[in-house]
Amino acid sequence: LRAWGSKRLVESLDDLRWFRAQYLGPDFPDHRLKDDPRVSPLYADLSGLPPAHFLVGTEDALLDDTLFMHARWIAAGNRATLNVYPGAAHGVGHFGPHQFSSQAAQVLA
């Protein structure tokens, strides 16, 4: 995950750790099962899946994950599109500071 310093985005590293703990349990160590496809779809067999559209903001803590998943989707032989929105945080177009921006209008169109 990217380190954003004191800048408050829609989600923080602590928020993402909380979500991980809710899914995997509070005692889940960072290194155990990290490559398990049940934990991260980045490691799953993605072949034969339908076309997908990935969109992400450059200030989304999940930017790298989204870029990797897009690349993995294509590498698995699936069709995919990708839109990256400069300055947008997680959920661009749906809530937060970019909810009513031109980027949001493009996302929701």
Side-chain angles (χ1 to χ4, degrees):
L1 293 172
R2 292 180 178 273
W4 298 104
S6 62
K7 189 172 191 176
R8 177 67 175 136
L9 304 176
V10 173
E11 79 283 278
S12 67
L13 182 56
D14 287 338
D15 295 331
L16 295 175
R17 287 180 177 143
W18 181 88
F19 284 114
R20 181 183 64 198
Q22 302 314 300
Y23 181 66
L24 300 171
D27 299 323
F28 178 79
D30 289 347
H31 63 281
R32 199 180 101 221
L33 298 176
K34 69 180 179 73
D35 297 340
D36 187 317
R38 295 172 297 172
V39 174
S40 174
L42 287 170
Y43 300 100
D45 177 5
L46 302 176
S47 60
L49 294 175
H53 178 71
F54 296 91
L55 59 120
V56 65
T58 59
E59 293 188 15
D60 187 332
L62 299 174
L63 172 61
D64 291 341
D65 297 272
T66 303
L67 298 176
F68 289 141
M69 182 55 87
H70 174 256
R72 288 270 297 115
W73 206 268
I74 291 171
N78 305 308
R79 290 184 301 149
T81 56
L82 172 68
N83 288 85
V84 179
Y85 296 93
H90 189 74
V92 60
H94 299 284
F95 53 86
H98 296 276
Q99 182 176 5
F100 303 108
S101 68
S102 60
Q103 293 170 333
Q106 183 181 8
V107 168
L108 299 174

